[in-house]
């Protein structure tokens, strides 16, 4: 994954469109085929730069080469020449201007480290790798014991799934100091077990290795740089129904008892006397000024991807506006009608003075900010992807700020959706979206709001205890915790979504009016012929309708969407939003305005209008799902519906109309005993169809 850009421009000149990219993915390099030409860094590593790129498990990203050095252990080390006691050994690995060090041991002649160092090929500045063994001195300069030198042209290449390279013992060498006939000779000073190889990001040692591009990070910040995978807790809903109490004795004589029931699970406490939903206090009044480091703007970007219970976090690329991750992750899809969310953040928790978050408009101390900055996010509905097709696009990273909509850069992704069993996936389209109890004993809207907020808090608390932590601001942004709040902009967007659905009906009405007014004689004549046929042969009405929808589905196939959905700024009403409406959207809740009366009415209006915008959005979603039946937004669902239309047309053609009408009437009027409390198959199928809600900002 690659993000480019990061500069702010006027919203009217921004390019918010999805772009096709043509990266050289791992699967496009057949085994034995040479990769693309790369610029030379030094003459001594030409063999490294010209390596062939065999295929590997990282087949959706460009291969990135690293020089790996595994420092295992040492033996037979000489004692300290001054004190005579065992030395305090540690190893320093040096390649050009980059060097990494292992931890040191106190007075140990046979230390074991088992640490891996990774040097990025793109930043190599030397053709010689030097591994030093040093004795840590408490006072003064560390004593140099010996070293091992490697020529990069002779370093072997390893490509997984090959077995790990076996480490070897190397004798430490040191040039003698002073006169004598053999003053320039070498003498042995112990042995060091090392493994040196050239590999890619698919290597098993990559995630836990020390990386040269993060050499300036120290202390606790090292953990927040590396890529990690997280698993959110499995959540269950516990329903407690308080019915009544009996024989309650008052504490004071002559006074009616005031009682309530309190239920507590963990840190969640509910009381029967509290009827109001929990108050939410999301804060929108944040801007994204770039960080300043050494007098210039910088970004330390990382990606977070979430699907189901699995969260992943890429490594942090320090000090660049064009970070290149090239990391690949896999999720097991439990339902194709689900969404994967990918967000980009600016790391402000590197520590040791790195990542100072001083605002661009003012000073401030050297302490880093408390929150990682949002760069942008995208959502991809898996059902909109064709099976086994690799989608390579540049997604615009769009963030709405108090000053307007901003493009923060682009995120280049390669996405592939695979299916092992077509029958199982087709069967999923007929299943209910939720478990059985959600339909037998449904939750109220107030209960759902409270449960969603509690679930977000549980997930944020669990992931915040991981190492490195996935912080609360990241979890809130990925889970759209503020999406239910009132926004005039969202209300307008949902309204126009609903209005656009009636444009097709209006066009049909205009067409029928043109037919009635004989605007096109040929069309009117054909409609007359069709009218006569359907009047004289009413049994052809339903077959004609289904056959017509079948033909429309086939006709729309050539115009089916070729790109996954992305954030649509025009549909979200983000480009033409009024500044006062943005001020209202980014205002705190409760409002920060003066006047007590306005305070109360303003909050009440926002609360009620938030419900209205949800209802309008749901109405638009149903209409958009109806449109997607023949729109090929979900290729599998449209294919199923088109085939059903063809079969229905044939069956209804050969079956007498009276029989069809009688069977349909009896089915609709059947006894409740023969009805299931679960949704019908057509309803399950319809609810799984995609809508444009996934493209809303």
């Amino acid at each position: 994954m690659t993000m480019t850009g990061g500069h702010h421009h006027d919203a009217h000149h921004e390019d918010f469109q999805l772009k096709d990219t043509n990266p050289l993915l791992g699967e496009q390099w057949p085994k034995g085929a040479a990769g693309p030409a790369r610029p030379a860094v030094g003459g001594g590593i030409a063999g490294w730069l010209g390596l062939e790129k065999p295929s590997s498990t990282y087949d959706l990203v460009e291969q990135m080469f690293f020089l790996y050095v595994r420092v295992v252990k040492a033996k037979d080390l000489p004692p300290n020449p001054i004190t005579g006691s065992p030395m305090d050994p540690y190893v320093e690995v040096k390649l050009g201007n980059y060097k990494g060090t292992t931890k040191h041991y106190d007075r140990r002649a046979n230390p074991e480290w088992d640490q891996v160092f990774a040097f990025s090929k793109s930043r190599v500045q030397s053709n010689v790798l030097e591994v030093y063994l040093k004795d840590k001195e408490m006072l003064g300069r560390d004593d140099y014991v010996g070293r091992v030198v490697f020529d990069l042209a002779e370093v072997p290449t390893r490509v997984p799934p090959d077995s790990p390279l076996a480490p070897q013992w190397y004798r430490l060498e040191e040039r003698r100091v002073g006169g004598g006939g053999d003053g320039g000779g070498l003498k042995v000073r112990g042995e060091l077990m090392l493994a040196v190889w050239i590999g890619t990001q698919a290597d098993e040692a990559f995630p836990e290795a020390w990386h040269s591009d993060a050499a300036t990070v120290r202390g606790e910040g090292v953990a927040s740089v590396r890529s990690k995978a997280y698993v959110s807790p499995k959540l269950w809903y516990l329903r407690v129904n308080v019915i009544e109490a009996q024989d309650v004795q008052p504490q004071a004589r002559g006074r009616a008892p005031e009682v309530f029931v309190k239920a507590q699970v963990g840190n969640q406490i509910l009381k029967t006397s509290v009827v109001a939903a929990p108050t939410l206090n999301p804060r929108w009044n944040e801007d994204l000024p770039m960080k300043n480091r050494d007098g210039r703007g910088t970004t330390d970007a990382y990606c977070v991807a979430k699907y189901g219970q699995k969260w992943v976090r890429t490594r942090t690329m320090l000090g660049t506006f064009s970070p290149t991750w090239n990391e690949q992750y896999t999720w097991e899809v439990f339902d194709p009608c689900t969404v994967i969310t990918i967000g980009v953040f600016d790391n402000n928790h590197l520590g040791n003075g790195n990542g100072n978050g001083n605002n661009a408009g003012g000073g401030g101390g050297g302490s880093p900010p408390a929150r990682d900055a949002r760069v942008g996010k995208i959502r991809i509905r898996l059902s909109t992807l064709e099976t086994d097709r690799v989608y390579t696009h540049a997604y615009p990273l769009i963030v709405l700020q108090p000053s307007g909509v901003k493009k923060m850069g682009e995120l280049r992704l390669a996405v592939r959706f695979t299916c092992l069993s077509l029958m199982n996936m087709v069967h999923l389209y007929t299943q209910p979206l939720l478990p059985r109890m959600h339909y037998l004993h449904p939750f109220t809207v107030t209960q759902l709001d409270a449960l969603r907020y509690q679930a977000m808090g549980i997930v944020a608390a669990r992931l915040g205890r991981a190492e490195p932590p996935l912080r609360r601001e990241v979890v809130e942004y990925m889970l759209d915790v503020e999406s239910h709040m009132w926004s005039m902009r969202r209300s307008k967007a949902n309204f126009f979504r609903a209005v656009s659905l009636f444009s097709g009906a209006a066009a049909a009405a205009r067409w029928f009016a043109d037919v009635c007014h004989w605007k096109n004689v040929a069309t009117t004549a054909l409609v007359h012929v069709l009218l006569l046929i359907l009047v004289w042969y009413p049994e052809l009405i339903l077959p004609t309708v289904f056959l017509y929808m079948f033909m429309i589905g086939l006709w729309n196939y050539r115009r089916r969407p070729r790109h996954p959905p992305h954030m649509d700024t025009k549909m979200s009403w983000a480009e033409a939003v009024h500044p006062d409406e943005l001020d209202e959207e980014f205002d705190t809740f409760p409002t920060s305005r003066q006047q007590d009366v306005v305070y109360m009415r303003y909050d009440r209006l926002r609360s009620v209008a938030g419900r209205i915008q949800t209802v309008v959005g749901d109405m638009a979603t149903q209409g958009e799902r109806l449109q997607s039946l023949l729109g090929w937004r979900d290729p599998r669902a449209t294919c199923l519906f088109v085939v059903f239309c063809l079969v229905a047309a044939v069956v209804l053609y050969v079956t007498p109309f009276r029989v069809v009408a009688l069977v349909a009437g009896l089915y609709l009027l059947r006894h409740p005993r023969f009805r299931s409390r679960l949704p019908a198959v057509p309803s399950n199928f319809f609810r799984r169809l995609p809508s444009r809600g996934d493209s809303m900002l």
Side-chain angles (χ1 to χ4, degrees):
M1 295 181 287
T2 304
M3 182 190 71
T4 59
H7 300 286
H8 300 304
H9 302 286
D10 187 10
H12 296 288
H13 300 286
E14 292 281 14
D15 183 8
F16 299 114
Q17 299 302 316
L18 193 68
K19 300 176 183 177
D20 284 318
T21 58
N22 296 303
L24 292 175
L25 304 182
E27 67 173 8
Q28 296 174 353
W29 289 316
K31 204 160 189 176
R38 302 284 180 174
V41 179
I45 58 174
W48 184 7
L49 297 177
L51 286 173
E52 296 182 348
K53 295 180 181 287
S55 61
S56 69
T57 55
Y58 273 53
D59 57 349
L60 291 182
V61 294
E62 297 187 32
Q63 291 185 346
M64 302 173 62
F65 284 95
F66 295 86
L67 174 65
Y68 290 99
V69 181
R70 180 182 294 275
V71 180
V72 184
K73 56 185 176 180
K75 68 178 182 179
D76 301 334
L77 299 182
N80 189 298
I82 300 178
T83 63
S85 61
M87 65 173 60
D88 303 332
Y90 71 95
V91 174
E92 179 182 277
V93 182
K94 182 178 180 182
L95 181 63
N97 293 332
Y98 296 101
K99 60 181 180 180
T101 59
T102 66
K103 59 183 178 181
H104 81 280
Y105 291 100
D106 294 334
R107 299 182 179 182
R108 187 173 299 185
N110 299 301
E112 295 186 8
W113 295 280
D114 198 19
Q115 290 184 240
V116 180
F117 299 85
F119 298 88
S120 175
K121 178 218 54 171
S122 60
R123 302 190 180 186
V124 169
Q125 301 173 346
S126 174
N127 57 0
V128 174
L129 171 69
E130 298 174 290
V131 182
Y132 294 90
L133 181 70
K134 294 187 175 182
D135 184 9
K136 187 172 184 61
E137 297 288 343
M138 299 302 295
L139 299 175
R141 186 175 181 181
D142 294 350
D143 187 19
Y144 162 52
V145 179
R147 69 171 184 171
V148 180
V149 181
F150 296 89
D151 187 350
L152 295 187
E154 300 178 358
V155 175
T157 301
R158 173 184 176 262
V159 178
D162 292 345
S163 300
L165 192 67
Q168 302 180 35
W169 286 107
Y170 294 88
R171 293 183 178 179
L172 296 174
E173 301 176 349
E174 179 189 16
R175 295 188 179 275
R176 290 183 177 177
V177 181
D182 57 349
L186 300 174
K187 62 179 180 180
V188 178
R189 299 288 300 274
E191 295 184 67
L192 193 61
M193 179 176 282
L194 302 171
V196 182
W197 72 95
I198 295 173
T200 65
Q201 72 270 37
D203 201 289
E204 295 89 346
F206 177 81
E208 299 298 331
W210 173 95
H211 287 271
S212 59
D213 54 4
T216 58
V217 181
R218 295 288 186 272
E220 297 179 357
V222 175
S224 65
V225 173
R226 297 173 176 171
S227 57
K228 293 290 182 181
Y230 304 82
V231 178
S232 61
K234 182 177 291 186
L235 301 178
W236 299 85
Y237 294 135
L238 175 62
R239 174 173 248 145
V240 179
N241 189 2
V242 181
I243 300 176
E244 63 178 348
Q246 295 180 353
D247 300 331
V248 178
Q249 300 296 327
Q251 294 183 353
R253 187 183 299 267
R255 177 185 174 188
E258 297 179 358
V259 297
F260 62 90
V261 178
K262 180 177 73 172
Q264 179 174 355
V265 177
N267 60 351
Q268 301 179 60
I269 301 176
L270 295 178
K271 299 179 181 179
T272 56
S273 59
V274 179
V275 295
T279 301
L280 306 178
N281 297 296
R283 298 184 63 88
W284 284 85
N285 53 347
E286 290 184 16
D287 206 350
L288 304 176
M290 294 178 297
K291 296 180 296 187
N292 284 329
R293 184 183 298 160
D294 299 329
R296 61 183 180 88
T298 183
T299 300
D300 305 320
Y302 67 92
C303 275
V304 175
K306 171 200 172 292
Y307 178 76
Q309 287 185 271
K310 181 179 178 182
W311 298 58
V312 298
R313 169 180 176 163
T314 67
R315 67 189 190 280
T316 301
M317 304 300 295
L318 292 134
T320 175
F321 292 122
S322 300
T324 303
W325 292 284
N326 274 322
E327 298 183 23
Q328 182 171 334
Y329 299 95
T330 303
W331 284 268
E332 183 178 353
V333 177
F334 58 90
D335 193 323
C337 305
T338 47
V339 177
I340 183 172
T341 305
I342 303 172
V344 182
F345 301 87
D346 188 5
N347 196 334
N348 291 329
H349 296 85
L350 299 183
N352 208 29
N354 291 286
N356 280 347
N358 298 337
N359 292 335
S367 59
R371 297 169 65 90
D372 287 350
R374 304 170 178 178
V375 180
K377 68 179 175 183
I378 61 174
R379 291 186 291 264
I380 302 176
R381 182 169 287 270
L382 301 183
S383 62
T384 62
L385 306 178
E386 298 179 7
T387 305
D388 292 325
R389 175 185 170 185
V390 179
Y391 291 85
T392 55
H393 295 94
Y395 294 82
L397 294 172
I398 305 171
V399 172
L400 190 65
Q401 301 177 2
S403 58
V405 62
K406 298 293 184 182
K407 179 180 178 181
M408 306 297 292
E410 294 179 348
L411 181 64
R412 297 183 180 177
L413 294 176
V415 182
R416 180 176 60 196
F417 174 72
T418 60
C419 174
L420 300 180
S421 174
L422 180 61
M423 293 302 298
N424 289 340
M425 184 169 59
V426 171
H427 177 68
L428 283 173
Y429 278 88
T430 65
Q431 299 302 305
L433 288 173
L434 300 174
R436 182 184 181 90
M437 291 299 294
H438 284 267
Y439 300 102
L440 300 181
H441 302 284
F443 290 106
T444 64
V445 176
T446 303
Q447 289 174 331
L448 287 176
D449 289 340
L451 290 173
R452 288 193 186 102
Y453 187 76
Q454 293 172 9
M456 185 279 298
I458 294 173
V459 173
R462 174 68 64 86
L463 299 183
R465 291 195 295 266
E467 182 61 34
L470 205 59
R471 303 186 183 277
R472 187 180 183 88
E473 63 268 21
V474 175
V475 176
E476 290 180 351
Y477 186 53
M478 297 291 288
L479 296 180
D480 291 328
V481 70
E482 306 109 335
S483 61
H484 71 287
M485 296 299 296
W486 161 255
S487 167
M488 181 67 73
R489 176 188 60 84
R490 286 200 194 96
S491 298
K492 285 184 177 180
N494 288 330
F495 174 77
F496 285 105
R497 284 173 59 197
V499 169
S500 64
L501 294 176
F502 297 99
S503 61
R510 288 193 299 267
W511 175 83
F512 186 72
D514 293 341
V515 170
C516 295
H517 290 84
W518 291 77
K519 293 293 183 65
N520 190 316
V521 179
T523 303
T524 304
L526 289 176
V527 171
H528 278 80
V529 173
L530 180 62
L531 176 63
L532 292 174
I533 294 175
L534 296 181
V535 167
W536 287 103
Y537 302 99
E539 63 272 11
L540 296 180
I541 295 178
L542 290 180
T544 302
V545 172
F546 282 105
L547 186 61
Y548 182 65
M549 288 191 291
F550 171 75
M551 297 301 297
I552 293 178
L554 290 183
W555 179 261
N556 289 342
Y557 178 77
R558 61 187 182 91
R559 296 185 297 178
R560 67 191 186 278
R562 300 289 184 175
H563 308 302
H566 67 288
M567 300 297 181
D568 193 331
T569 56
K570 293 183 178 179
M571 187 191 70
S572 303
W573 212 253
E575 292 183 337
V577 62
H578 194 273
D580 182 66
E581 295 175 0
L582 278 179
D583 178 72
E584 179 185 19
E585 182 172 348
F586 283 88
D587 186 19
T588 58
F589 188 86
T591 177
S592 59
R593 299 293 179 268
Q594 304 299 323
Q595 305 292 338
D596 294 340
V597 175
V598 177
Y599 192 104
M600 181 271 296
R601 293 178 178 176
Y602 187 57
D603 289 346
R604 183 175 58 187
L605 175 63
R606 294 173 71 184
S607 177
V608 174
R611 304 283 186 183
I612 297 176
Q613 85 174 18
T614 303
V615 173
V616 175
D618 292 340
M619 295 173 57
T621 297
Q622 304 307 320
E624 289 165 355
R625 285 172 175 169
L626 188 63
Q627 280 185 337
S628 65
L629 277 173
L630 299 174
W632 293 96
R633 171 53 67 186
D634 183 344
R636 285 160 293 274
T638 303
C639 182
L640 287 174
F641 185 73
V642 168
V643 172
F644 169 77
C645 292
L646 177 61
V647 174
V650 174
V651 171
L652 293 174
Y653 181 81
V654 300
T655 306
F657 179 76
R658 296 180 180 86
V659 176
V660 174
L662 179 61
V663 172
L666 291 177
Y667 178 79
L668 292 176
L669 299 175
R670 68 192 185 277
H671 193 273
R673 179 179 297 179
F674 301 101
R675 297 177 183 270
S676 173
R677 300 184 67 179
L678 296 179
V681 170
S683 176
N684 297 332
F685 181 86
F686 184 78
R687 289 177 178 274
R688 290 178 175 275
L689 294 174
S691 69
R692 302 184 67 191
D694 301 323
S695 301
M696 286 283 294
L697 280 175

